[in-house]
Amino acid sequence: MSHRYRAYPTEVQAQVFARHCGDARWVWNQALAAVKAHAEDPTARFFCLTTARREIGWLAEGSSTVQQQALRDLAQALRNAKGGSHRFPRWRRRGEGDGFCVRDVAVHKLNRTWAEVTVPKAGRLRFRLSRPLPKSYGMARVTRDTTGRWHVSFAAPQPPVERVPTGAVVGIDRGVAATLATSDGELLRGPKLRPRERRRIERLQRQLVRQKKGSVRRRRTKDQIARAHAKAVRRRNDWIEKRTTELVRSYDLVAVEDLKVPQMTRTPKPKPDPDRPGAFLPNGARSKAGLNRAILDQGWGRFLRRLEDKAAASGVIVVRVDPAYTSQTCAHCGHVARESRESQAAFSCVACGHKANADINAARNILARGLALVPTPGQGARPGDRPARTSPADDAGSENSRRQVAA
Ligand SMILES: [Zn+2]
């Protein structure tokens, strides 16, 4: 959880920041290359910032605080990857997630609307107080988004969601495109691109293809596309904040499908062209679906992270379950058959005749699996205890827990 504010650097400051971003990116990539080399050849040496600064003039001129922090960031990213919560760190490219960190932050409040934070070699950076400042800040991150706007954010602990225990439990299925289905039979529709936005992005993308690489016009088109996307992403993030708060407020336990398990493919597969090896035929995927999917698929990871952060701070259990076959299993009788999935939207059990919305049926299966992973109440488990993910309770225990948690 972090508090983010729009920052307004002067032109000179923006130049210094661009330089900091470049330094942080360079250090990150050098150190990452060394880590990769070391994995192949254990005699390869790790990256040493002190040596590099001694040998490379332009690096020594940059801020050592910013550069050191880039190394710490990478170390943390490697630890996260090792722990399995994040993917392996990737190369940083210019224009993708530009940013740098400042430690030992000094914030100075000017008035109700404006505050300043001190950045090495750049002096005080003004930012707009669009929300209250966190009570404490250890570190600040200054970032530039794809549209060239600067922000400053402070890491802050997630405050708990105000709630009373409800005894209610829920399973959530990630349905087609923009929808989440709950085991209570609700369909939560996420925001999509508006038709006008979609047409505009499509037009810009066609324009981009025709423009010369490296040209000013191409650069401008790229910026326009990024800005249009950023708007939709903000709307989506807003939606995620609201839905995750509602879920944490309403339920003592939320079961969701685990991200690490590969999603069943919902994108039409590329069709190889039989006449030309290596070439592909158009697969009929509509760009409309594609654009919306891009924005929402990237949102699922965020949705999970926000849900888990808020739940952990509020005494709510989130269980991740393996979603395999949840869309083909009858939530009523447990029969598994691909034929029961009548269509993308409809489930109709070939064994018992149970009919339901396919995603809601899947959400019920996800809930059942989640409950099976929770220790039986009465054996010391309370809401707020983290369930062991890998030790499913025995059958009788899970039946028991289902009744009690649901009661
Ligand atoms: Zn059935």
Side-chain angles (χ1 to χ4, degrees):
M1 173 67 181
S2 69
H3 295 240
R4 197 171 80 134
Y5 307 87
R6 176 91 184 266
Y8 297 84
T10 64
E11 220 162 285
V12 177
Q13 283 179 325
Q15 278 168 21
V16 177
F17 292 175
R19 170 70 206 269
H20 285 347
C21 289
D23 285 2
R25 184 169 59 236
W26 188 85
V27 167
W28 170 285
N29 285 342
Q30 291 293 315
L32 182 58
V35 167
K36 289 188 175 185
H38 186 82
E40 306 236 307
D41 171 11
T43 63
R45 289 210 318 205
F46 282 118
F47 175 80
C48 173
L49 184 60
T50 318
T51 315
R53 278 176 67 87
R54 208 159 39 223
E55 288 168 358
I56 305 167
W58 64 260
L59 192 67
E61 284 165 21
S63 157
S64 74
T65 320
V66 165
Q67 294 164 11
Q68 270 166 21
Q69 194 52 49
L71 272 186
R72 287 197 199 98
D73 276 359
L74 177 65
Q76 183 62 49
L78 289 165
R79 276 195 294 276
N80 290 345
K82 210 172 174 189
S85 63
H86 293 69
R87 52 206 279 193
F88 195 79
R90 287 183 291 179
W91 303 116
R92 290 213 166 145
R93 291 201 182 90
R94 190 199 181 102
E96 290 175 17
D98 284 345
F100 61 90
C101 285
V102 184
R103 273 163 77 92
D104 307 320
V105 183
V107 172
H108 177 69
K109 209 170 156 182
L110 295 174
N111 51 44
R112 282 166 66 167
T113 334
W114 295 97
E116 290 176 335
V117 57
T118 307
V119 178
K121 293 187 189 276
R124 289 175 163 188
L125 165 65
R126 285 222 308 169
F127 62 93
R128 204 183 159 81
L129 291 169
S130 47
R131 70 190 74 184
L133 282 164
K135 292 216 174 65
S136 64
Y137 11 72
M139 199 163 70
R141 192 169 164 76
V142 178
T143 53
R144 179 170 54 187
D145 65 19
T146 46
T147 68
R149 280 188 298 221
W150 292 92
H151 291 91
V152 56
S153 48
F154 304 97
Q158 169 66 42
V161 174
E162 283 192 32
R163 68 189 302 279
V164 284
T166 57
V169 294
V170 75
I172 293 177
D173 178 64
R174 202 181 156 193
V176 278
T179 314
L180 297 177
T182 79
S183 54
D184 282 351
E186 254 188 297
L187 295 174
L188 310 174
R189 286 176 212 286
K192 287 184 179 179
L193 284 175
R194 293 174 183 139
R196 263 187 63 189
E197 287 175 331
R198 200 188 70 233
R199 282 197 300 273
R200 177 143 187 276
I201 292 177
E202 283 169 350
R203 184 173 53 75
L204 288 167
Q205 278 173 342
R206 282 195 300 272
Q207 203 171 304
L208 188 74
V209 176
R210 291 195 302 266
Q211 284 166 334
K212 226 171 77 193
K213 279 207 171 159
S215 70
V216 177
R217 279 159 187 266
R218 190 182 161 90
R219 175 80 240 157
R220 200 182 305 147
T221 309
K222 269 190 150 173
D223 284 351
Q224 285 173 327
I225 294 174
R227 232 171 291 148
H229 266 122
K231 220 168 152 187
V233 165
R234 273 199 300 279
R235 232 167 33 234
R236 180 206 70 191
N237 290 350
D238 230 50
W239 183 83
I240 288 174
E241 285 308 310
K242 292 200 181 95
R243 293 294 92 78
T244 49
T245 297
E246 276 170 16
L247 286 167
V248 166
R249 190 167 286 145
S250 310
Y251 298 101
D252 288 354
L253 178 144
V254 185
V256 290
E257 59 182 88
D258 200 339
L259 247 196
K260 270 178 281 177
V261 185
Q263 258 286 99
M264 278 215 280
T265 162
R266 282 174 182 145
T267 328
K269 282 217 179 70
K271 276 188 215 154
D273 186 339
D275 299 330
R276 288 183 303 151
F280 295 93
L281 295 167
N283 61 10
R286 293 164 66 201
S287 57
K288 172 187 171 183
L291 285 173
N292 275 320
R293 197 176 293 120
I295 286 170
L296 286 146
D297 271 7
Q298 288 158 15
W300 180 243
R302 187 188 182 96
F303 182 90
L304 274 188
R305 209 160 53 238
R306 296 301 293 131
L307 180 68
E308 287 182 337
D309 282 354
K310 289 180 186 177
S314 319
V316 167
I317 298 175
V318 174
V319 209
R320 294 193 186 199
V321 306
D322 177 358
Y325 302 107
T326 45
S327 63
Q328 302 174 14
T329 304
C330 173
H332 187 70
C333 74
H335 186 78
V336 184
R338 199 180 332 155
E339 297 72 37
S340 296
R341 182 88 187 232
E342 270 191 333
S343 65
Q344 190 64 259
F347 185 92
S348 174
C349 180
V350 292
C352 77
H354 173 68
K355 281 183 193 298
N357 172 295
D359 294 331
I360 291 169
N361 177 71
R364 291 192 177 132
N365 291 323
I366 288 169
L367 174 60
R369 281 188 198 182
L371 289 172
L373 291 173
V374 179
T376 314
Q379 291 176 358
R382 292 179 308 275
D385 284 352
R386 284 220 146 236
R389 270 193 208 168
T390 44
S391 59
D394 61 78
D395 275 343
S398 72
E399 269 306 315
N400 190 13
S401 94
R402 196 167 309 172
R403 269 197 304 275
Q404 292 200 18
V405 179

